[in-house]
Amino acid sequence: MNRREFTLSLAAAALASRATFAQDPAASLSIDLAASGPAIPLDFTGLSYETAQLANPAFFSAANTALIDLFRGLGAQGVLRIGGGTSEFTTFTTTEPTGPPPFEVFGPDTSKTAKKGTLVTPAALRNLRAFLDATNWRALYGLNAGQGTAANAAEEAFYVHQILGPRLIAFQIGNEPDSWRNRYRPSTWTYPDYFKQWQAFHAAIVARVPAAKFAGPDVSNKLPYVAGFAADAHAYPDIVLLTSHYYAMGPAGSPKSTLEKLLDPNPKLAADLVTIMQAARSAHLPYRMSEGNSCWDGGKPGVSDTLASALWCADMMLQFAQAGAVGVNLHGGGNGFYTPIAGSISSGFTRRPEYFGMQFAGHFSGSTLLNTTFNSPSKRVTAYAALKDGRRQIAIINKDAAPIAVSMPHALPRHGHAECITLAGAALDQKETTLSGPAPAKKFDPGHFQVPAHSAIMLRV
């Protein structure tokens, strides 16, 4: 059986008749059709790459058609975030290098990454603009504030703004400033210290680029920075977006960073999203998770590159959407274990498991989420519902190793027809992952519906 046949067989099983399953479903889903939740923008899906990648101008360019096709496969619109740990080591210069680039691809920044001395030039920016035009994506652009100068940031911002034009959403000043303490700054470093520096960089940039827009604070995890930036944003109408990062676990070398931990719900994320969205609403700003993934420090083999990571990714993206976030940017690049797209121009590019998880969640872009009540005996099973193009759309993500039967008698028309999209693979710890569908519409009984083990099912009616 080939991959397509395997996943279509799962879809057929999910839409099979009442007689196949137990009479008493183990989980139940109800949907409040009268109460709409957040709207998911068309550019909700995003990727994040290290600034150092711009040191090879050929990577993000119109000539890299293979990568352009893979970006388009994630969405007709999207957001590319340029930043990461290497943004604090990269310098802008108008002098184009004469030799070959220092590397072909650059993966996620880790403690072992050699990243000093990378350069960004106008040629790289012109190629980036052509790449964005070809994909119809836009960009968030990070500037070096950790080790750079306000003058160099302003010079870079001038060229970025001029070249990227309407493809530029906003600048971010500094990457993860909440982690600068004892690294680039003294042990007493706190949010007020950061915002004082932010104001100095902001003034220098606006003096050179009066129309510049800004996002931030682009922190790793310290919510006082998010709340503080949201409060201070009231005085700066050119701040247009609130951002922060999210990694489910890490570092990669920790024995606590396991596949089991990745699959379990993260109560801290749920609580943090409440705090973040309260701050965003108080500042009247949209919020975007600008960098994140399964396990920081480059990802963990056998965890970040498995079917489990694809199911986690789909669930995490929809959890952010349900909370009201306007987008999620999955960090990657090179051959990092968690990167959604791996490879290079010379070796070719491949889709890693998370790519398929992103595609699954991306089917909700352009929809309006609905309020749901989902009761399940397994904490690893989640459900989401939305209205899109006049049709109801329901996703059930089963990160468990056993199938689960679901009853949703009032969610969909009884004995109607439903199209089915399936995200699946042979086992949670296996790398092979497939997204199939939409399968042709078949009869569907919402009273007796089963989601196979370690798979996600999306229904459209």
Side-chain angles (χ1 to χ4, degrees), residues 211-243:
K213 304 297 181 184
F214 297 87
D218 205 36
V219 292
S220 62
N221 56 39
K222 293 180 175 59
L223 296 189
Y225 279 71
V226 177
F229 194 82
D232 288 327
H234 291 287
Y236 292 87
D238 52 12
I239 295 177
V240 296
L241 184 65
L242 193 66
T243 62

Side-chain angles (χ1 to χ4, degrees), residues 336-415:
F337 293 112
Y338 60 48
T339 184
I341 301 172
S344 65
I345 297 172
S346 63
S347 66
F349 295 95
T350 59
R351 297 173 293 178
R352 290 274 182 82
E354 281 190 5
Y355 184 94
F356 301 100
M358 294 178 72
Q359 283 186 313
F360 184 89
H363 281 291
F364 276 79
S365 295
S367 72
T368 300
L369 289 165
L370 298 169
N371 292 338
T372 63
T373 301
F374 186 59
N375 297 310
S376 170
S378 173
K379 61 184 178 181
R380 292 183 177 177
V381 184
T382 54
Y384 303 89
L387 286 176
K388 182 175 181 179
D389 300 328
R391 303 172 70 185
R392 299 181 199 176
Q393 184 166 292
I394 293 174
I396 300 176
I397 302 171
N398 182 7
K399 295 180 288 181
D400 220 332
I404 188 166
V406 180
S407 172
M408 40 185 169
H410 305 298
L412 297 170
R414 191 165 183 82
H415 298 296

Side-chain angles (χ1 to χ4, degrees), residues 273-460:
L273 280 173
V274 171
T275 301
I276 289 169
M277 295 312 303
Q278 286 176 342
R281 285 190 289 270
S282 71
H284 304 289
L285 289 174
Y287 166 76
R288 186 175 191 98
M289 192 272 273
S290 54
E291 177 192 319
N293 216 298
S294 59
C295 184
W296 63 268
D297 204 21
K300 188 163 187 170
V303 176
S304 301
D305 54 355
T306 65
L307 170 64
S309 72
L311 295 170
W312 165 82
C313 177
D315 188 33
M316 177 273 296
M317 289 180 68
L318 292 176
Q319 184 177 357
F320 270 84
Q322 190 77 64
V326 298
V328 167
N329 289 71
L330 273 293
H331 198 50
N335 291 292
F337 293 112
Y338 60 48
T339 184
I341 301 172
S344 65
I345 297 172
S346 63
S347 66
F349 295 95
T350 59
R351 297 173 293 178
R352 290 274 182 82
E354 281 190 5
Y355 184 94
F356 301 100
M358 294 178 72
Q359 283 186 313
F360 184 89
H363 281 291
F364 276 79
S365 295
S367 72
T368 300
L369 289 165
L370 298 169
N371 292 338
T372 63
T373 301
F374 186 59
N375 297 310
S376 170
S378 173
K379 61 184 178 181
R380 292 183 177 177
V381 184
T382 54
Y384 303 89
L387 286 176
K388 182 175 181 179
D389 300 328
R391 303 172 70 185
R392 299 181 199 176
Q393 184 166 292
I394 293 174
I396 300 176
I397 302 171
N398 182 7
K399 295 180 288 181
D400 220 332
I404 188 166
V406 180
S407 172
M408 40 185 169
H410 305 298
L412 297 170
R414 191 165 183 82
H415 298 296
H417 286 72
E419 293 178 350
C420 187
I421 296 171
T422 306
L423 175 67
L428 286 165
D429 60 355
Q430 298 300 301
K431 295 181 180 181
E432 186 170 341
T433 303
T434 307
L435 183 73
S436 71
K442 294 185 178 182
K443 276 194 173 182
F444 167 70
D445 183 354
H448 293 77
F449 172 72
Q450 189 178 62
V451 181
H454 47 74
S455 72
I457 299 291
M458 187 182 302
L459 300 172
R460 290 174 174 172

Side-chain angles (χ1 to χ4, degrees), residues 9 24-25 55 87 101 111 121-122 137 169 181 190 215 242 261 308 314 340 343 378 423 435 446 455:
S9 70
D24 299 315
S87 66
S111 57
T121 67
W137 283 35
I169 298 172
R181 185 168 56 185
T190 60
L242 193 66
K261 183 176 181 179
S378 173
L423 175 67
L435 183 73
S455 72

Side-chain angles (χ1 to χ4, degrees), residues 12-31:
L15 295 174
S17 67
R18 165 193 292 258
T20 308
F21 311 119
Q23 293 296 314
D24 299 315
S28 63
L29 172 68
S30 61
I31 301 173

